[in-house]
Coordinates of all heavy atoms in Angstrom, one line a residue:
S188 N -1.5 30.8 -0.5 CA -2.8 30.7 0.1 C -2.9 30.2 1.5 O -3.6 30.7 2.4 CB -3.7 29.9 -0.8 OG -5.0 29.9 -0.3
I189 N -2.2 29.1 1.8 CA -2.2 28.5 3.1 C -1.5 29.2 4.2 O -1.8 29.1 5.4 CB -1.8 27.0 3.0 CG1 -2.7 26.2 2.0 CG2 -1.7 26.3 4.3 CD1 -2.3 24.8 1.7
D190 N -0.5 30.0 3.8 CA 0.3 30.7 4.8 C 1.3 29.7 5.5 O 1.6 29.9 6.7 CB -0.5 31.5 5.8 CG 0.3 32.6 6.4 OD1 1.3 33.1 5.9 OD2 0.0 33.0 7.5
R191 N 1.7 28.7 4.8 CA 2.8 27.8 5.3 C 4.0 28.1 4.5 O 4.0 27.8 3.2 CB 2.4 26.4 5.3 CG 3.5 25.4 5.7 CD 3.0 23.9 5.7 NE 2.6 23.5 4.4 CZ 3.4 23.0 3.4 NH1 4.7 23.1 3.6 NH2 2.9 22.5 2.3
H192 N 5.1 28.5 5.1 CA 6.3 28.9 4.3 C 7.5 28.0 4.5 O 8.6 28.2 4.0 CB 6.6 30.3 4.6 CG 5.6 31.3 4.2 ND1 5.4 31.7 3.0 CD2 4.6 31.8 5.0 CE1 4.3 32.5 2.9 NE2 3.8 32.6 4.1
D193 N 7.3 26.9 5.3 CA 8.4 25.9 5.6 C 8.1 24.6 4.9 O 6.9 24.3 4.7 CB 8.6 25.8 7.1 CG 9.1 27.0 7.8 OD1 9.9 27.8 7.2 OD2 8.7 27.3 8.9
G194 N 9.1 23.8 4.7 CA 8.9 22.5 4.2 C 9.7 21.5 4.9 O 9.8 20.3 4.5
M195 N 10.4 21.9 6.1 CA 11.1 20.9 6.9 C 11.1 21.4 8.3 O 11.1 22.6 8.6 CB 12.5 20.6 6.4 CG 13.3 21.9 6.2 SD 14.9 21.5 5.4 CE 15.5 23.1 4.8
W196 N 11.2 20.5 9.3 CA 11.1 20.8 10.7 C 12.0 19.8 11.5 O 11.9 18.6 11.4 CB 9.7 20.6 11.2 CG 8.7 21.5 10.4 CD1 8.3 22.8 10.8 CD2 8.0 21.2 9.2 NE1 7.4 23.2 9.8 CE2 7.2 22.3 8.8 CE3 8.1 20.1 8.3 CZ2 6.5 22.3 7.7 CZ3 7.3 20.1 7.2 CH2 6.5 21.2 6.8
W197 N 13.0 20.4 12.2 CA 13.9 19.6 12.9 C 13.3 19.0 14.2 O 12.4 19.6 14.8 CB 15.1 20.4 13.4 CG 16.2 20.7 12.4 CD1 16.5 21.8 11.8 CD2 17.2 19.7 12.1 NE1 17.6 21.7 10.9 CE2 18.1 20.4 11.1 CE3 17.5 18.4 12.4 CZ2 19.2 19.8 10.5 CZ3 18.6 17.8 11.8 CH2 19.4 18.5 10.9
S198 N 13.8 17.8 14.5 CA 13.4 17.2 15.9 C 14.2 18.0 16.9 O 15.3 18.6 16.6 CB 13.8 15.8 15.9 OG 15.2 15.6 15.8
P199 N 13.7 18.0 18.2 CA 14.4 18.8 19.2 C 15.8 18.3 19.4 O 16.7 19.2 19.7 CB 13.5 18.5 20.5 CG 12.2 18.2 19.9 CD 12.4 17.5 18.7
G200 N 16.1 17.0 19.2 CA 17.5 16.6 19.4 C 18.4 16.8 18.2 O 19.6 16.5 18.2
G201 N 17.8 17.2 17.0 CA 18.6 17.5 15.8 C 19.1 16.2 15.1 O 20.0 16.3 14.3
R202 N 18.4 15.1 15.4 CA 18.8 13.8 14.8 C 18.0 13.4 13.6 O 18.4 12.6 12.8 CB 18.8 12.7 15.8 CG 19.7 12.9 17.0 CD 21.1 13.0 16.7 NE 21.7 11.9 16.0 CZ 22.9 11.8 15.6 NH1 23.8 12.8 15.7 NH2 23.3 10.7 14.9
R203 N 16.8 14.0 13.5 CA 15.9 13.7 12.4 C 15.1 14.9 12.0 O 15.1 15.9 12.7 CB 14.8 12.6 12.9 CG 15.4 11.2 13.1 CD 14.4 10.2 13.4 NE 14.0 10.2 14.7 CZ 13.2 9.3 15.3 NH1 12.8 8.2 14.6 NH2 12.8 9.4 16.6
L204 N 14.5 14.8 10.8 CA 13.8 15.9 10.2 C 12.4 15.4 9.7 O 12.3 14.2 9.2 CB 14.5 16.5 9.0 CG 15.7 17.4 9.2 CD1 16.6 17.4 8.0 CD2 15.1 18.8 9.4
L205 N 11.4 16.2 10.0 CA 10.1 16.0 9.3 C 10.1 16.8 8.1 O 10.4 18.0 8.1 CB 9.0 16.5 10.2 CG 7.5 16.4 9.7 CD1 7.1 14.9 9.5 CD2 6.6 17.1 10.7
A206 N 10.0 16.2 6.9 CA 10.2 16.9 5.7 C 9.1 16.6 4.7 O 8.6 15.5 4.6 CB 11.6 16.5 5.0
A207 N 8.8 17.6 3.9 CA 7.8 17.5 2.8 C 8.5 17.1 1.5 O 9.5 17.7 1.1 CB 7.0 18.8 2.6
R208 N 7.9 16.1 0.8 CA 8.3 15.8 -0.5 C 7.2 16.3 -1.4 O 6.0 16.0 -1.3 CB 8.4 14.3 -0.7 CG 8.7 13.8 -2.1 CD 8.6 12.3 -2.3 NE 8.7 11.9 -3.7 CZ 7.8 11.9 -4.6 NH1 6.6 12.3 -4.3 NH2 8.1 11.4 -5.8
V209 N 7.6 17.2 -2.4 CA 6.6 17.8 -3.3 C 6.9 17.4 -4.7 O 8.0 17.6 -5.2 CB 6.7 19.4 -3.1 CG1 5.8 20.1 -4.2 CG2 6.3 19.8 -1.7
D210 N 5.9 16.9 -5.4 CA 6.0 16.5 -6.8 C 5.0 17.3 -7.6 O 3.8 17.2 -7.4 CB 5.7 15.0 -7.0 CG 5.9 14.5 -8.4 OD1 6.3 15.3 -9.3 OD2 5.7 13.3 -8.7
T211 N 5.5 18.2 -8.4 CA 4.7 19.1 -9.2 C 4.4 18.5 -10.6 O 3.8 19.3 -11.4 CB 5.3 20.5 -9.3 OG1 6.6 20.4 -10.0 CG2 5.5 21.1 -8.0
A212 N 4.8 17.3 -10.9 CA 4.5 16.7 -12.2 C 3.1 16.8 -12.6 O 2.8 17.0 -13.8 CB 5.1 15.3 -12.2
P213 N 2.1 16.6 -11.6 CA 0.7 16.6 -12.0 C 0.2 18.0 -12.3 O -0.9 18.2 -12.9 CB -0.1 16.0 -10.8 CG 1.0 15.4 -10.0 CD 2.2 16.1 -10.3
V214 N 0.9 19.1 -12.0 CA 0.4 20.4 -12.1 C 0.8 21.0 -13.4 O 1.9 20.9 -13.9 CB 1.1 21.3 -10.9 CG1 0.5 22.7 -11.0 CG2 0.9 20.6 -9.6
Q215 N -0.2 21.7 -14.0 CA 0.0 22.3 -15.3 C 1.1 23.5 -15.1 O 1.1 24.1 -14.0 CB -1.3 22.9 -15.9 CG -1.9 24.0 -15.0 CD -3.2 24.5 -15.7 OE1 -3.6 24.1 -16.7 NE2 -3.9 25.4 -14.9
R216 N 1.8 23.8 -16.1 CA 2.9 24.8 -16.0 C 2.4 26.0 -16.8 O 1.9 25.9 -17.9 CB 4.2 24.3 -16.6 CG 4.7 23.1 -15.8 CD 6.1 22.8 -16.2 NE 7.1 23.8 -15.6 CZ 7.5 23.7 -14.3 NH1 7.2 22.8 -13.5 NH2 8.4 24.7 -13.9
W217 N 2.6 27.2 -16.2 CA 2.3 28.5 -16.8 C 3.6 29.2 -17.0 O 4.6 28.9 -16.4 CB 1.3 29.3 -15.9 CG -0.1 28.8 -16.0 CD1 -0.5 27.6 -16.5 CD2 -1.3 29.4 -15.5 NE1 -1.9 27.5 -16.4 CE2 -2.4 28.6 -15.8 CE3 -1.5 30.6 -14.8 CZ2 -3.7 28.9 -15.5 CZ3 -2.8 31.0 -14.5 CH2 -3.9 30.1 -14.8
H218 N 3.5 30.3 -17.8 CA 4.8 31.0 -18.2 C 4.6 32.5 -18.1 O 3.6 33.1 -18.4 CB 5.0 30.6 -19.7 CG 5.1 29.1 -20.0 ND1 6.3 28.4 -20.0 CD2 4.2 28.2 -20.2 CE1 6.1 27.1 -20.2 NE2 4.8 27.0 -20.3

């Protein structure tokens, strides 16, 4: 829905990352 397909982004110098931590434990599971 949001149209965001990345979960990490390098710093220009390549020494660090901006990263998403995703915990789906609260989310109901479908099958």
Side-chain angles (χ1 to χ4, degrees):
S188 179
I189 294 173
D190 200 24
R191 175 176 62 80
H192 299 277
D193 293 326
M195 54 184 162
W196 302 266
W197 277 106
S198 66
R202 303 298 303 178
R203 289 186 284 190
L204 283 153
L205 179 65
R208 175 190 177 275
V209 174
D210 185 359
T211 60
V214 184
Q215 64 182 354
R216 300 193 72 84
W217 285 11
H218 305 264

